Amino acid sequence: MTQLIWNGLFVGSFYALIALGYSMVYGIIKLLNFAHGDIYMVGAFIGFAVLSSVGVIPASMSITALLIVLLLTMIITGGIGVGIEYLAYRPLRNSPRLAVLITAVGASFTLEYGVSAIAGPNPKVFPVRLEGESFDFLGARISAPQIVLMVIAVVLMLSLNSYIQRTSMGRAMRAIALDPKGALLMGVNVNKIITWTFFIGSALAGAAGVMAGAYYGKIDFLMGFIIGLKAFTAAVIGGIGNIKGAMLGGLLLGLLEAFGSQWLGGQWRDVFTFGVLIAFLTLKPTGLLGERVTERV
Amino acid sequence: MSYFTHQDSVIYLTVAAVTVFVRRVFGLHVVTSKEMQTMKLRIPKVFAVGAVAAAMLATTGCGGILGGGGDKTADSGPIKIAAVIPMSGSSAPTGVYMKNGMQLAVNEINAKGGVLGRQLALDLEDGACDPTQAAAAANKAVSNGAVISVGGYCSGATLPTLPIFSKANIPMIIPAANSQDLVNQKLPNVFLINGTGVQQAAAAVKFMVKDGMKTVALVDDNTSYSKDIAAETKKDLASEGSVKTALATSVTAGESDYSSVVHDIMGAKPDMVYWTGYYQEGGLIINQLKAAGYQGKIMVADGSVDPSLVTIAGAANAEGVLATMTQTPDTIKGAETWIADYTKAFGAAPGPYSTQSYDAVRVAAEAMKQAKSTDGDAVTKALTAIDGFQIFSGPLKFTPEHTLSNGGFQILAVQGGKFVLKDTLN
Amino acid sequence: MSENVDTSRAPRRIGKPASRFSRLFESKQLGWGAFVVAIVFPFILATPYAMNIGTTAVIFILLASGLNIVVGYCGLLDLGYIAFMAVGAYTSGIVSKAWDLPILFTIPAVLVMCILAGLIIGGPTLRLRSDYLAIVTLGFGEIIRLTANNLSITGGPSGIYGIPGIELFGLKLSDSVPFYYFCVVVVSLLVLGSARLGKSRLGRAWRFVREDEDAAEAMGIHTYKVKLAAYIFGAMWGGLGGMLFAAHLSAISPQSFVFLQSALVLMAVVLGGMGNTRGVVVGAVAISLLPEFLRDMGNLRYVIFGVVLVAVMVLRPQGFWPSRAFEVERTDGESENADPGPGDSVSPAKGGTL
């Protein structure tokens, strides 16, 4: 039981990190960034490329090396996110939503198969593996790497939250989310803020990618697809557009999946997850923490 | 030409008639307002006449304009051997091993003068492990004039190619795909030279009993190949009686986190976990099982026998992992020269299904030699009659089901990061 | 959403008179031209391979024209369209194998199942915002595929094989050439049907919903019912496509119904020009034949697909061959002559009954 809870929370923290990017972008420009899950995959591959080009890293240094790679990857994936926004989304800012969604699908395709064309379709083995002792805690078996990753995830989420709540940039983001035109009139540089939002969201997804690579050890070019869907589900459960909701939704979805696959069997887990998504959207489309959004005409 | 028989012409006339009446019938039902009538959809007379003329052309049986494809089974020039294998998509790496194995056999046979005085030519078509693409690829091979097929990796993508080759009367020697569904259709022209799921399951159960296991957990990845082995193993264990199936579950391929299945396994506390899927997920499951403190044995099926399994799982975790596997060059005595030839020809070591693909071409050549012809029926007959032809898994003789009489499965174990022979099960 | 209204006017802003070239492409006879090309094709090339990719392309046209009803006419992004094809293919496969029926006899079952699937998927989700709908349909597509993979009635991961070919009036149409012709005829009828639907009263309601849902609602169109109708029509087209697909391949398995396939159908609709039947047909032919020509490129072709998708949306948001809004003709003056027949305009009272 405690093991299930722990497993759920651990997987959920990955969902939460990715869901944050979905939620931020959606909150600000009401765009469903379909390519977001693939940024996670690109992050894992960038981490892989950087680490393999460095060569052999002594085991004692692996945590430090990983943190440096994490930062580097976050910057690069952030840049990629900004690039996608600039090329694929910005020209369509005033177009119908359908058009933007389709470019998002196109961007997702380009990233997935672009990586497969560059790195090859085979799964890759991550050069650095987080290894560590496991110990029992209240009947759950917890390993040291899991603790490290959870701490990194929580630190990233908390700093994002205080960034959005405390800084002027964060205030500008919230202002745009509330009313883009009003924010523009009040002197907020909307384009700059949107670029910055994409940067932060993509950087978080990239970080999650590196962490997943280092923990699980295997990466492949389609790894972002399903997790992107799950992260979106998490964002919806928490209330899309709401930062705290995304975190809550991620953890909750992790727990739901852990228990769902226990009850129904592993092969039904994804069916269960998407069933939950549909149930939520039908019964409580605002999610747990979301506010009622009226579409302005 | 064969496409336009008298019976067919009736159909073409029907088609032409339907064309003419389409508008009237359709128009009556759909056009309800005058506005609709303003946008007329009138058949231009020229087209109607053209369509009828075309149909007439067909009825006269004037096949000259058809540029008869499909009948290019010329009796001279190289003998075309079709191979529908994955060259793109996620299974592309295995496709390369298979291609090289086939090419090696073709090169060797051609160097010795070919078959029936003609050279062999490999017609590689990308099936991409996708049923639609594989069907297109098979049709392409048939159109190219192939006389025998030696491809087939993913069972799901191989199934739709069976009727295509069988309609064209082309014998199939399937080197890798081994789902029971391929056998169940009882097609006369289909032969499997890889051990089937039934045989692999039998070998696994034999070893489990021999090794004194009391409970096992069966985990598959929800693909037809994997589920087949798991289901057969479960059946065999039930009839065996002494080993209990503590858990039979499936995971979704292509994910990273298998903690839920690991949790189930830890709860069931089996003596052995038998993973019947591929190495990508197998490596992760082994890793996560060990991290969770699993102490029992782990066995994997032949799809997981790959050096990458060890790197993904981590060398320490993979040590001692068992596997059910057909004979590979690594485990066959005297195969060193073959490995050397292969490595020299392609600059890389052989991999999964290299040997089976190599053998498939050799068996095909042998059958044509015995039949003294490339005619489908004759070759099929020769294949059925083949007895004692040496291939990697031993002397070849097909069962009435057209599978190997003995899958040749044996037990490997990981030692020092490599799969080595542990038990021949004899 | 005031911007949306502007973009909806985009096609109308093409003020200059149509060039001779584009008038050629607007010609009403074009459909028949395409039909004749499809009929004549086997006379030029009748190898099994050509027939195979020809049949695949024709079935793909059917799928694209079905998705066009949903995406092109009604503006609902469906990312799991292939699920309906799966429902159709599995229904016809299971029914025909279980009762030993000719596959054409399964059509009623296919249609019933597809309508049911459309209701189940569309029912709860069509009240959602458009972008939620996209991801929910994607989720549904995965649910259908995973369910087919997990159940034993659908044959599990290896699927169903040995599905009978088409038989009509005692004639076996399972040979490649007759089957191709059968598909051409059936698909032509259905494509024509979808084009007609787009021009019907319901079709105008669909476009109205697409352009401005709130205004449509205000004008008395029951938007939910109209959207559901689009969904169900799309489902039926997809299901019939699935039936032809099953008869064509004779073996179906969950691998045929992955998200990539949904994306390819969507791409055909988007590239060709949403809402324009001719454009969609051309798009479908291009998308289904291109992979065959690019066979040697492997995965790179999907990169190209992705880039093209983005580029088309950015540079030509209405697709290569966008639909000229049907209403345009009526502002020309000449069409004023046409009597406003019954149901000619979307009057609030009549629209409300939709």
Side-chain angles (χ1 to χ4, degrees), chain C residues 250-261:
Chain C
S250 85
I252 48 174
S253 63
Q255 287 145 295
S256 300
F257 309 110
V258 291
F259 168 66
L260 189 66
Q261 300 296 332

Side-chain angles (χ1 to χ4, degrees), chain B residues 3 7 12 19 31 35-36 39 44 65-66 69 126 131 133 135-136 139-140 143 163 167 181 185 222-224, chain C residues 29 35 43 46-49 52 149-150 157-158 161 171 174 177 181 196 199 204 249-250 256 295 301 344:
Chain B
Y3 286 108
Q7 195 204 19
Y12 301 130
T19 345
V31 177
E35 174 207 286
M36 283 296 162
M39 45 142 298
I65 54 159
L66 294 173
D126 181 12
Q133 285 204 48
N139 272 305
K140 193 172 177 199
S143 303
K167 206 178 278 174
D181 294 326
Q185 302 199 41
N222 239 341
T223 60
S224 60
Chain C
Q29 271 97 41
F35 184 67
F43 289 86
T47 64
Y49 175 56
N52 180 284
N149 206 3
N150 290 342
S158 46
Y161 53 87
L171 287 175
S174 49
V177 175
Y181 276 123
R196 285 294 177 107
K199 280 158 185 156
R204 282 196 301 277
L249 281 190
S250 85
S256 300
R295 245 171 193 282
R301 63 180 185 231
D344 194 34

Side-chain angles (χ1 to χ4, degrees), chain B residues 93-118:
Chain B
T94 318
V96 174
Y97 293 131
M98 295 179 70
K99 179 188 96 181
N100 290 349
M102 292 171 187
Q103 195 60 53
L104 186 63
V106 167
N107 293 350
E108 285 179 10
I109 292 165
N110 282 346
K112 286 182 195 151
V115 177
L116 309 173
R118 295 160 65 186

Side-chain angles (χ1 to χ4, degrees), chain C residues 313-331:
Chain C
M313 274 296 116
V314 171
L315 302 175
R316 241 185 120 79
Q318 308 285 327
F320 276 124
W321 194 350
S323 66
R324 300 258 163 131
F326 185 65
E327 284 78 7
V328 171
E329 289 175 24
R330 309 163 84 223
T331 60

Side-chain angles (χ1 to χ4, degrees), chain B residues 284-300:
Chain B
L284 291 174
I285 289 175
I286 293 171
N287 181 305
Q288 290 168 27
L289 267 176
K290 292 284 182 181
Y294 176 72
Q295 300 290 342
K297 294 191 176 182
I298 300 171
M299 187 154 80
V300 297

